[in-house]
């Protein structure tokens, strides 16, 4: 199965040039990377362009004029990948909080499942460099979402996920309405309700190495409020 790794970026100049070769080390030779950049003023897109020729047509860039949000970036990337005949599509952050070496485990799992989730909340999974409060909020958010949605997935809020094209088609990307981080919850919940086979792979999730986090308390709390809207729909 042909794999596309989708990496949304906004002001990731400190990370992107280091991340790309690491990702290519851990994906099959016929796999590609799509960077979806939301008009980063720091030159992230230019950094991608400067190395694209090194990867023999396997590194792609979508430049967007403005920052329209994580959900929109991923949906745009999914649709681009499906249109270009990729069978498997992976979501991945640009800040090294998603370690590239886990791509191997996720790709192994997707051979026998519709969805493979990089999970911080199954045995063997954990976070590093977080305060006790931040860790409590994250785990509590996933538990809260599971209870509201009556969904068995342990890590509903995480963003390191691999999808078969057929799973995305069953979900119907046109019906996704969540923005921001509740997007991850809605995608996984709809996959579960659609009867997709799902496997959670334990990952260690470190804090970002460089740059500034896009997550805030307000964004996270809004995501938890959105759980009830997801359930009602």
């Amino acid at each position: 199965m042909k794999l596309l790794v989708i990496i949304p970026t906004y002001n990731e100049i400190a990370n992107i040039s280091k991340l790309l070769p690491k990702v290519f080390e851990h994906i099959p030779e016929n796999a590609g990377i799509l960077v979806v950049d939301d008009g980063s003023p720091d030159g992230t897109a230019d950094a991608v362009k400067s190395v694209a020729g090194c990867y023999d047509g396997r590194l792609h860039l979508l430049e967007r004029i403005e920052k329209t949000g994580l959900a929109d970036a991923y949906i745009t990337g999914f649709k681009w990948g499906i249109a270009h005949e990729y069978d498997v599509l992976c979501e991945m952050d640009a800040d090294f909080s998603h370690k590239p070496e886990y791509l191997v485990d996720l790709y192994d799992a997707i051979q026998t499942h519709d969805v493979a989730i990089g999970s911080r909340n199954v045995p063997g999974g954990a976070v590093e460099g977080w305060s006790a409060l931040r860790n409590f909020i994250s785990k509590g958010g996933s538990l809260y979402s599971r209870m509201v949605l009556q969904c068995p997935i342990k890590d509903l809020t995480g963003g390191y996920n691999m999808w078969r094209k057929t799973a995305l088609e069953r979900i119907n990307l046109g019906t996704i309405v969540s923005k921001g981080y509740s997007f991850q919850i809605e995608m996984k919940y709809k996959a579960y309700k659609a009867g997709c086979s799902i496997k959670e792979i334990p990952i260690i999730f470190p804090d970002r190495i460089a740059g500034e986090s896009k997550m805030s308390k307000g964004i996270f709390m809004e995501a938890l409020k959105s759980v009830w809207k997801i359930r009602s729909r």
Side-chain angles (χ1 to χ4, degrees), residues 10-193:
Y10 183 76
N11 285 350
E12 293 291 354
I13 191 67
N15 294 307
I16 194 66
S17 295
K18 300 172 186 175
L19 178 68
L20 293 172
K22 292 293 184 183
V23 173
F24 276 116
E25 285 180 16
H26 293 93
I27 58 178
E29 291 185 358
N30 69 337
I33 298 175
L34 173 66
V35 176
V36 182
D37 186 71
D38 277 357
S40 297
D42 69 349
T44 298
D46 290 335
V48 176
K49 291 176 187 176
S50 70
V51 299
C54 301
Y55 295 106
D56 193 28
R58 298 170 64 201
L59 176 58
H60 312 278
L61 173 67
L62 284 181
E63 291 186 85
R64 309 202 303 170
I65 297 174
E66 58 185 358
K67 196 171 187 288
T68 57
L70 188 67
D72 189 62
Y74 272 131
I75 289 176
T76 297
F78 287 147
K79 290 180 177 178
W80 188 96
I82 291 171
H84 287 79
E85 300 183 343
Y86 286 90
D87 307 297
V88 176
L89 302 103
C90 182
E91 307 169 69
M92 185 180 188
D93 287 349
D95 59 9
F96 281 97
S97 58
H98 295 157
K99 296 183 179 182
E101 52 263 40
Y102 291 124
L103 287 163
V104 176
D105 298 325
L106 291 168
Y107 190 67
D108 284 346
I110 208 72
Q111 304 305 308
T112 53
H113 293 77
D114 298 312
V115 185
I117 295 171
S119 179
R120 302 160 293 183
N121 298 334
V122 295
V127 298
E128 291 179 342
W130 284 16
S131 67
L133 177 60
R134 185 179 177 190
N135 195 17
F136 174 78
I137 291 173
S138 176
K139 288 187 179 295
S142 273
L143 178 59
Y144 172 82
S145 300
R146 288 173 58 201
M147 292 175 64
V148 171
L149 298 174
Q150 299 182 358
C151 178
I153 297 171
K154 299 288 194 303
D155 196 340
L156 279 167
T157 60
Y160 199 3
N161 312 299
M162 196 171 283
W163 307 81
R164 286 197 184 202
K165 177 185 71 172
T166 51
L168 295 175
E169 290 170 343
R170 288 166 72 178
I171 291 170
N172 186 356
L173 293 173
T175 68
I176 300 295
V177 297
S178 295
K179 307 296 181 183
Y181 287 85
S182 59
F183 165 76
Q184 304 293 356
I185 300 172
E186 183 177 358
M187 287 284 292
K188 292 173 189 172
Y189 177 63
K190 285 191 171 181
Y192 167 68
K193 295 295 285 185

